[in-house]
């Protein structure tokens, strides 16, 4: 289970870091129109998705630690 938690951390942790620390870069790489990229809602949504990916990483580690005691 720890190998799965490590893989989830590597994949979703890096995505989460990119979305939370550099939302402008994520918006520039996206395929949204230039008109939509300028809206502040998109930056808020990108950060919101970054927090969801971070919660996914935390949940994977919680499950891995709980599985030790079963």
């Amino acid at each position: 289970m720890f190998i799965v938690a490590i893989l989830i951390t590597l994949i979703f942790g890096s995505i989460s870091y990119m979305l939370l620390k550099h939302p402008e870069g994520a918006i520039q790489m996206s395929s949204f129109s230039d008109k939509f990229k300028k809206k502040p809602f998109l930056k808020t949504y990108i950060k919101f998705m970054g927090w969801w990916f971070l919660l996914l990483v935390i949940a994977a580690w919680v499950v891995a630690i709980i599985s030790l005691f079963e």
Side-chain angles (χ1 to χ4, degrees):
M1 190 52 125
F2 278 98
I3 294 174
V4 173
I6 290 170
L7 289 175
I8 288 175
T9 301
L10 290 175
I11 295 168
F12 293 109
S14 60
I15 293 171
S16 174
Y17 177 80
M18 181 187 72
L19 293 178
L20 290 173
K21 289 291 186 179
H22 308 290
E24 294 86 11
I27 291 172
Q28 288 176 355
M29 292 183 347
S30 68
S31 62
F32 294 117
S33 66
D34 291 333
K35 185 178 172 183
F36 189 66
K37 286 180 184 179
K38 299 200 186 310
K39 294 187 177 186
F41 168 75
L42 184 61
K43 186 175 179 181
T44 305
Y45 179 73
I46 294 288
K47 285 193 171 194
F48 176 74
M49 291 307 298
W51 282 109
W52 274 110
F53 283 126
L54 184 63
L55 285 175
L56 181 69
V57 170
I58 292 169
W61 280 103
V62 167
V63 168
I65 291 170
I66 289 174
S67 69
L68 280 176
F69 299 108
E70 290 184 347

